[in-house]
Amino acid sequence: MPGSTNDLTRLRIALTTFFALDGFLFAGWVVRIPAIKEQTGASASALGLALLGVSAGAVLTMTLTGRLCRRYGTHQVTVVCAVLLSLSVALPPLTHSVLALGAVLLLFGAAYGSINVAFNSAAVDLVAALRRPIMPSFHAAFSLGGMVGAGLGGLVAGALSPTRHLLGLAVIGLLVTVVAGRVLLRHEPPTTTRPTRPERGTPRGRGARTRGLVIVFGLIALCTAYGEGAMADWGALHLEQDLHASPGVAAAGYSCFALAMTIGRLSGTALLERLGHGRTVIAGGTTAAAGMLLGSLAPSLWAALLGFAVTGLGLANLFPVAVERAGTLAGPDGVATASTLGYGGMLLGPPAIGFMADWFSLPVALTSVAVLAAIATLIGVATRRTTPN
């Protein structure tokens, strides 16, 4: 059982590495989607259905992963899922039909969703042992890994085929898993006073209250993931279609959002130590709502870019806080519930905005991100006095 400062530091480095690897592998796959679309001959709608396999696979396996973590341990499940994720990222370029691509992405999504539950659960234990709110730093590593993965993908896109590129990522993933996984497997998760499941004899009302709070924190994760999904899928189109930005500038809109989110997460520990969890959610939700109103309704391109950046800063720490609070209350099962609701938001966001854009307009549809950020703020106000900071 790790108890010394050195042991906890090693665990923190190893977990940070897995968060970064997750973002790195996922971004590496994303940047090759256009090439794989051409390879499979998929139409835009068919590709969209195939891409749903990633989110569907994640949602379907998250609850099961919470149970596996409780039975076998978060460290062991993290390592196994990292191996599966590394192997599955090499499969999409081997497909030559939309049906095969969808099946492969279902497997990739299952590994991706499972490792997110496992290492977030392990991180919750480590946060409790260190007694410092460092959860945002892990999610910052995910964001930085994604930026590196996307940048590397852009550099090698012209030189390497998708098959060689993603096979190379698989090899890197397996090597990193061997190195970082040895640290996790050598140590048991830090012992905390948080129960991993309701104990026998626990009053029914208390158990129901815990489950209710976990769902509430899951709704915060949903509101955040809805915004992230919307920005990824619709932000650039809004800038190009409604504000007449060039394709390059339109693409930079999401970069502004992602960079601001990374900066927000890197400063998240200091913010949590200063404000506490409740006020951080309230401040973040308020900031994101204001930023998205500016980003969606501003008549100026540069004002919209500023709004996207402000939105990223606001949303940055909502998901890490929600997952940590859910995990503190209910262990891996709490992390699984909050993560499943979060991915539900990511599934819901892009198509919901598409329908609203057809009914009204894309700028009006994007204001739904501000509405959900405001709902997260209200949830933060309602729960600030019922949960410890």
Side-chain angles (χ1 to χ4, degrees):
M1 177 186 74
S4 71
T5 301
N6 287 338
D7 287 337
L8 295 177
T9 299
R10 291 189 190 99
L11 281 180
R12 182 178 181 181
I13 293 171
L15 281 174
T16 300
T17 301
F18 278 113
F19 273 85
L21 177 65
D22 188 40
F24 175 78
L25 293 177
F26 188 78
W29 140 249
V30 166
V31 298
R32 301 317 296 253
I33 289 176
I36 292 173
K37 176 182 182 296
E38 182 178 351
Q39 174 181 303
T40 58
S43 65
S45 58
L47 178 66
L49 289 174
L51 292 176
L52 279 178
V54 178
S55 296
V59 169
L60 289 172
T61 56
M62 280 178 165
T63 300
L64 173 62
T65 306
R67 296 172 184 167
L68 292 175
C69 287
R70 199 174 63 229
R71 180 169 182 177
Y72 297 107
T74 56
H75 292 180
Q76 288 81 354
V77 176
T78 295
V79 173
V80 171
C81 290
V83 171
L84 295 176
L85 182 67
S86 299
L87 293 173
S88 62
V89 78
L91 297 179
L94 303 180
T95 62
H96 296 280
S97 70
V98 176
L99 185 61
L101 178 62
V104 161
L105 292 182
L106 195 67
L107 295 175
F108 178 69
Y112 178 72
S114 296
I115 195 173
N116 273 269
V117 171
F119 60 38
N120 271 296
S121 299
V124 168
D125 287 330
L126 186 57
V127 168
L130 290 171
R131 298 183 180 180
R132 289 193 65 209
I134 62 168
M135 197 69 169
S137 69
F138 294 117
H139 289 260
F142 171 85
S143 299
L144 288 171
M147 292 173 68
V148 173
L152 178 63
L155 288 174
V156 305
L160 294 178
S161 67
T163 302
R164 290 184 177 182
H165 175 205
L166 295 185
L167 180 60
L169 295 189
V171 172
I172 292 172
L174 292 173
L175 291 175
V176 170
T177 299
V178 169
V179 175
R182 290 177 62 188
V183 178
L184 290 191
L185 296 179
R186 276 203 304 262
H187 298 96
E188 290 295 320
T191 300
T192 65
T193 58
R194 170 186 55 76
T196 56
R197 65 166 71 183
E199 298 177 0
R200 291 184 180 180
T202 299
R204 183 176 299 178
R206 188 182 304 172
R209 179 177 179 273
T210 297
R211 287 191 295 272
L213 285 173
V214 167
I215 292 174
V216 164
F217 290 124
L219 291 176
I220 294 177
L222 184 153
C223 293
T224 306
Y226 179 99
E228 291 188 54
M231 291 298 298
D233 289 2
W234 294 102
L237 182 62
H238 166 57
L239 296 179
E240 190 171 346
Q241 171 184 291
D242 301 311
L243 297 178
H244 311 294
S246 67
V249 173
Y254 182 73
S255 299
C256 290
F257 171 81
L259 180 60
M261 178 169 278
T262 302
I263 292 170
R265 286 175 170 173
L266 287 171
S267 59
T269 296
L271 188 66
L272 285 167
E273 288 177 331
R274 183 176 182 85
L275 299 180
H277 293 86
R279 282 184 288 181
T280 297
V281 170
I282 294 169
T286 303
T287 300
M292 201 60 228
L293 286 176
L294 177 63
S296 59
L297 300 179
S300 161
L301 173 63
W302 298 109
L305 290 173
L306 175 62
F308 283 11
V310 172
T311 303
L313 284 174
L315 293 179
N317 295 305
L318 298 188
F319 193 94
V321 168
V323 169
E324 181 191 341
R325 293 288 85 195
T328 300
L329 286 168
D333 289 339
V335 173
T337 298
S339 299
T340 300
L341 285 170
Y343 273 82
M346 195 166 285
L347 274 172
L348 173 67
I353 287 177
F355 283 119
M356 286 186 283
D358 285 340
W359 295 334
F360 307 106
S361 68
L362 183 53
V364 171
L366 286 173
T367 62
S368 63
V369 175
V371 172
L372 289 188
I375 291 173
T377 303
L378 294 176
I379 293 173
V381 172
T383 61
R384 187 159 65 98
R385 294 185 179 180
T386 62
T387 56
N389 275 329

